[in-house]
């Protein structure tokens, strides 16, 4: 009986004593440690990462950071490392997630440019681009090949070139994903939704290999009528509509690979 209470007492002591502040401070510093991830000796020092992170809070901060880094003519892995460490310092990702993402997605086309968008001062944009990276990273861990993140594509319909958020490959099949990080009560305007579905269809028709177009949303809408409209528009275009976290989405994409 006494031995069972010891861990509780220790936890209480950690919470109730000055040593607890040091302990949790250590955990926080470890979780968001900004030392370099890349092995490249040209990686920027920590103090420069902090300066760049502060710059990102300014108007068009991400663009200013990009210009500064372009002027330094750094190798690609150092640029990826820089953006990743800025995101860690901003507490947008943990050190553990950043290291895993960097090791798995480094050098994949679009990884660096998407990271650059993550560090901007638009919370909605950050969440959306992090969602794309997490889907790609999870897919990689499930043995998909990540072909590109944010592939530029001119569908000939929209006024300007758009992009396909994630392109994956498994076996002989390709998967093109338009990913939305929407809350259950957030509505996508139907005209924009239809346009994005049409872009996926055009991308599929122009792709030289077997390709499954997918529209993904993190949370299923709570409005049943709106949900039915989304399903209907996707079905008439033969686009797969899926919902869930990045992990749940990848499981569903694996099922699509098996049945289609």
């Amino acid at each position: 009986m006494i031995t069972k209470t010891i861990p509780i007492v220790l936890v209480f002591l950690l919470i109730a004593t000055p040593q607890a502040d040091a302990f949790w401070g250590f955990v926080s510093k470890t979780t968001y440690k900004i030392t370099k991830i890349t092995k490249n000796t040209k990686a920027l020092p920590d103090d420069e990462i902090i300066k760049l992170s502060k710059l990102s809070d300014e108007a068009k901060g991400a663009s200013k950071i990009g210009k500064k880094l372009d002027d330094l003519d750094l190798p690609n892995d150092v640029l990826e490392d820089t953006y990743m460490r800025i995101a860690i310092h901003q507490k947008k990702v943990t050190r553990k997630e950043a290291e895993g993402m960097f090791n798995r997605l480094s050098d994949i086309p679009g990884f660096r440019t998407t990271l650059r968008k993550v560090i901007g001062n638009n919370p909605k944009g950050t969440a959306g681009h992090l969602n794309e990276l997490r889907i790609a990273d999870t897919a990689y861990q499930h043995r998909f090949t990540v072909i590109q993140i944010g592939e530029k594509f001119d569908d000939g319909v929209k006024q300007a070139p758009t992009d396909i958020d994630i392109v994956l490959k498994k076996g002989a099949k390709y998967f093109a994903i338009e990913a939305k990080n929407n809350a259950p009560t957030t509505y996508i305007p139907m005209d924009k939704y239809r346009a994005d579905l049409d872009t996926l269809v055009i991308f599929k028709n122009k792709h030289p290999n077997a390709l499954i177009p997918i529209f993904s949303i993190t949370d299923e809408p709570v409005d049943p009528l709106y949900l039915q409209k989304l399903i209907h528009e996707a079905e008439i275009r033969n686009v797969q509509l899926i919902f869930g976290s990045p992990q749940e989405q990848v499981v569903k994409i694996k099922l699509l690979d098996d049945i289609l």
Side-chain angles (χ1 to χ4, degrees):
M1 187 71 176
I2 294 174
T3 56
K4 289 183 180 179
T5 63
I6 289 174
I8 298 173
V9 172
L10 288 175
V11 169
F12 175 77
L13 288 172
L14 275 173
I15 294 171
T17 63
Q19 287 85 348
D21 291 337
F23 174 79
W24 293 116
F26 171 77
V27 170
S28 178
K29 287 177 183 177
T30 303
T31 302
Y32 295 102
K33 191 175 180 181
I34 61 170
T35 50
K36 70 175 187 174
I37 302 172
T38 180
K39 295 179 181 178
N40 196 315
T41 57
K42 293 184 178 180
L44 298 182
D46 293 358
D47 60 345
E48 190 62 29
I49 297 297
I50 294 169
K51 289 177 186 176
L52 291 171
S53 182
K54 290 178 181 177
L55 181 60
S56 71
D57 292 331
E58 298 180 8
K60 298 184 179 179
S63 296
K64 292 177 183 177
I65 291 172
K67 179 65 170 62
K68 275 183 171 287
L69 295 178
D70 288 344
D71 292 342
L72 295 176
D73 194 27
L74 297 169
N76 183 63
D77 66 315
V78 173
L79 290 171
E80 292 174 339
D81 174 86
T82 300
Y83 287 126
M84 197 89 256
R85 290 160 65 201
I86 291 172
I88 294 171
H89 186 259
Q90 295 172 333
K91 298 189 177 180
K92 291 175 177 175
V93 293
T94 64
R95 176 77 187 190
K96 181 178 179 181
E97 180 178 28
E99 287 179 349
M101 227 177 246
F102 182 88
N103 292 329
R104 289 183 285 268
L105 302 182
S106 181
D107 282 335
I108 289 174
F111 177 55
R112 190 184 80 210
T113 53
T114 306
L115 279 176
R116 179 172 165 173
K117 295 171 184 174
V118 164
I119 66 166
N121 55 14
N122 179 345
K124 185 176 180 181
T126 291
H129 294 302
L130 263 179
N131 180 54
E132 295 164 15
L133 290 177
R134 285 168 175 154
I135 294 169
D137 188 39
T138 305
Y140 184 102
Q141 294 178 71
H142 282 262
R143 300 189 179 182
F144 284 80
T145 299
V146 182
I147 301 298
Q148 186 147 354
I149 304 166
E151 180 173 339
K152 293 297 178 186
F153 178 64
D154 187 352
D155 62 9
V157 178
K158 292 177 180 174
Q159 293 182 342
T162 183
D163 56 56
I164 306 298
D165 291 334
I166 308 148
V167 181
L168 305 174
K169 182 177 184 290
K170 202 171 197 309
K173 290 179 188 171
Y174 288 76
F175 304 83
I177 306 167
E178 175 69 22
K180 300 295 182 187
N181 184 47
N182 285 14
T185 53
T186 300
Y187 287 65
I188 304 169
M190 291 307 295
D191 57 342
K192 187 177 187 313
Y193 175 63
R194 294 187 188 100
D196 286 343
L197 292 175
D198 289 340
T199 295
L200 285 170
V201 172
I202 294 167
F203 185 76
K204 174 188 176 181
N205 292 339
K206 290 188 175 183
H207 203 274
N209 303 291
L211 182 141
I212 299 171
I214 298 169
F215 196 103
S216 78
I217 305 175
T218 49
D219 288 298
E220 185 172 315
V222 293
D223 183 335
L225 180 59
Y226 171 66
L227 174 60
Q228 192 54 48
K229 287 179 180 178
L230 294 180
I231 294 170
H232 172 72
E233 295 293 341
E235 283 181 345
I236 62 176
R237 292 169 175 81
N238 201 26
V239 173
Q240 304 302 316
L241 176 62
I242 62 175
F243 303 93
S245 67
Q247 292 76 18
E248 291 168 335
Q249 289 184 36
V250 171
V251 169
K252 291 175 182 179
I253 294 169
K254 288 176 72 175
L255 289 173
L256 290 174
D257 180 40
D258 292 336
I259 64 178
L260 295 178

